Amino acid sequence: METLKALPVEREDPFQPPALLKELPGSLHPMTYADGRLGWLVTGYAEARAVLDDPRFSNTQQGAAPPIKELAPPEGLTDLVIPPGFFIAMDDPEHSRYRKLLTGHFSMRKMRKLEPRIQEVIDGQLDEMARGGAPADLVKTFALPIPSLVICELLGVPYDERSRFQDTTARAVNLDNTVEQRGAAAGELMGYLSELVGRKRAEPGQDLLSELATGGELDHEELTGVATLLLTAGHETTANMLGLGTFLLLCHPEQADLVRTDPGVAESAVEELMRYLSVTHIGPIRVARADVPLAGQTIKAGQTVTICLPVVNRDPSRFPAPDHFDVTRQATQQLGFSHGIHQCLGQQLARLEMRLAYPALLRRFPTLRLAVPAEEVPLRPRAAIYGVAALPVTW
């Protein structure tokens, strides 16, 4: 079995996984990681679910080999330091302790109550887009503001302070920046949220951070870590899905017409967009706690395993004709929100935002189209979350 020399992230086609990864035979591949250690790359759907379900694989990232050099820690630092409250990078029981405090706030029932307000946010942003006129950058006028405003209202982050977190978040996840630059940006973001948490403790409002601040279960540092995770995850991933998803729809006008005209298509369209695009294109990453047999191989204790979602979500054994984009496909088992105990906490919020936003955009601007050739749309292949850097459109 040939060993991959590295994890490729550059895409020849903006909507397809890197060609080298698509051509790999089988579902589990030995790979040389950025620090020279041998690990594994998972490209099979069943194998990915098995890893994400198995508690023998740790999510802490301590001891993990980086799949690309940009993720490597600074020289001399062997383990990543997980901030208190940053539960996405914790194992049980610590992970469950934080998650139990938050699950009810992101339930389906809670999301249904938020739906009218989210629709107001979307309609208001479309009004601003119309007032600004064409051409426009859809990322700045639509994709980024909608999830940012929604998560700000939910958490209690003043939206007029958005420049303090949007810029720092973008710098923190941009792998073209050095580790030190990304660390400094993350430090700025946590500093801002630490200050905000202090304000919530002193003068609580009617929002999630205030409730957590006065609940007594989390200390200041823990709540700052939770706030950092929720704010970052709550807008960065959905913003990239809205931008890249609109780009894909505009390149497939017959699919865009279905989303625009058929109210019953929105739900399946979101799942298909998540499957087809897989904006989380580096990971999830796990470290084996023990020797684990998988796909006829043995993953040794201490080895790093990277799941390649763009290829996993194109596995023909799970998704027939996987390279065919079809908004009517029932792709409810796609792994874009991960799987197992670490499945995305805010997935129902993200689904709701996308289910409302795509049809509203296409109905409001029925002649929406790219303002530049598709090959000139700038991409973000070296960001932790894949997407478009800008999306010039007209109507």
Side-chain angles (χ1 to χ4, degrees):
M1 181 182 296
E2 187 175 351
T3 300
L4 278 171
K5 303 302 182 186
L7 176 67
V9 295
E10 301 284 347
R11 304 192 185 199
E12 298 81 5
D13 181 311
F15 308 125
Q16 299 289 332
L20 175 63
L21 296 178
K22 288 193 68 178
E23 294 165 2
L24 289 173
S27 56
L28 181 66
H29 316 277
M31 184 172 76
T32 301
Y33 279 68
D35 61 2
R37 283 185 281 175
L38 184 67
W40 299 88
L41 182 71
V42 176
T43 57
Y45 180 87
E47 291 75 15
R49 282 178 66 103
V51 169
L52 295 171
D53 258 336
D54 195 330
R56 291 176 293 179
F57 289 99
S58 171
N59 193 45
T60 67
Q61 306 305 299
Q62 294 188 355
I68 60 174
K69 62 182 177 60
E70 290 87 349
L71 290 176
E75 189 174 352
L77 181 64
T78 56
D79 279 337
L80 297 175
V81 178
I82 300 171
F86 209 79
F87 62 91
I88 194 174
M90 296 177 181
D91 293 326
D92 280 346
E94 292 85 358
H95 166 264
S96 289
R97 174 185 166 238
Y98 291 107
R99 190 157 180 132
K100 285 177 181 177
L101 291 174
L102 297 164
T103 299
H105 296 282
F106 293 92
S107 66
M108 283 290 294
R109 181 178 61 84
K110 191 69 174 284
M111 293 307 102
R112 289 192 199 99
K113 290 183 178 179
L114 287 177
E115 182 168 346
R117 176 55 188 149
I118 293 174
Q119 188 67 64
E120 286 181 10
V121 168
I122 292 168
D123 292 341
Q125 205 58 48
L126 292 174
D127 288 344
E128 285 194 27
M129 188 171 156
R131 284 193 294 269
D137 176 5
L138 197 83
V139 171
K140 290 182 179 179
T141 59
F142 178 78
L144 183 58
I146 288 169
S148 295
L149 183 52
V150 170
I151 197 65
C152 279
E153 289 193 5
L154 182 61
L155 297 180
V157 177
Y159 188 62
D160 58 6
E161 298 177 8
R162 61 190 178 278
S163 62
R164 297 185 65 179
F165 69 83
Q166 287 180 345
D167 175 64
T168 50
T169 299
R171 285 187 282 125
V173 302
N174 185 352
L175 300 182
D176 282 331
N177 292 333
T178 66
V179 173
E180 291 76 15
Q181 289 171 326
R182 298 200 308 274
E188 287 178 40
L189 178 61
M190 292 194 73
Y192 163 65
L193 288 168
S194 177
E195 171 195 322
L196 180 62
V197 166
R199 284 150 52 187
K200 296 294 181 183
R201 290 193 187 280
E203 297 181 23
Q206 300 297 314
D207 54 72
L208 178 52
L209 291 186
S210 293
E211 184 173 332
L212 294 173
T214 57
E217 295 93 347
L218 301 176
D219 64 25
H220 185 89
E221 287 190 342
E222 288 178 311
L223 183 50
T224 298
V226 168
T228 302
L229 175 58
L230 295 180
L231 182 60
T232 303
H235 81 275
E236 181 71 18
T237 305
T238 306
N240 279 284
M241 272 302 304
L242 288 174
L244 188 64
T246 301
F247 182 21
L248 177 61
L249 287 167
L250 294 181
C251 290
H252 291 80
E254 76 290 349
Q255 299 294 309
D257 284 342
L258 285 172
V259 175
R260 179 187 298 110
T261 59
D262 187 346
V265 162
E267 189 170 333
S268 63
V270 168
E271 300 303 313
E272 175 69 343
L273 286 161
M274 288 289 300
R275 180 196 74 84
Y276 198 83
L277 298 174
S278 299
V279 295
T280 302
H281 67 142
I282 305 171
I285 300 169
R286 299 289 188 265
V287 178
R289 303 172 186 264
D291 290 1
V292 181
L294 185 71
Q297 305 293 325
T298 298
I299 297 173
K300 299 291 187 182
Q303 286 187 322
T304 302
V305 177
T306 297
I307 295 169
C308 183
L309 286 183
V311 181
V312 165
N313 275 334
R314 301 284 185 100
D315 187 336
S317 70
R318 180 62 188 84
F319 303 103
D323 293 332
H324 177 60
F325 174 55
D326 178 7
V327 295
T328 67
R329 183 198 298 266
Q330 299 303 305
T332 53
Q333 296 299 310
Q334 55 82 20
L335 298 182
F337 290 113
S338 193
H339 176 69
I341 65 170
H342 290 284
Q343 195 168 27
C344 175
L345 176 71
Q347 62 179 298
Q348 300 307 336
L349 175 60
R351 281 187 168 102
L352 177 57
E353 289 171 331
M354 290 187 282
R355 179 169 61 80
L356 297 176
Y358 288 123
L361 171 70
L362 295 171
R363 287 195 296 265
R364 182 67 177 272
F365 301 101
T367 60
L368 189 73
R369 60 193 184 277
L370 295 176
V372 298
E375 59 270 20
E376 294 181 15
V377 172
L379 304 171
R380 296 166 26 121
R382 305 197 71 77
I385 304 297
Y386 180 64
V388 291
L391 188 64
V393 295
T394 190
W395 55 88

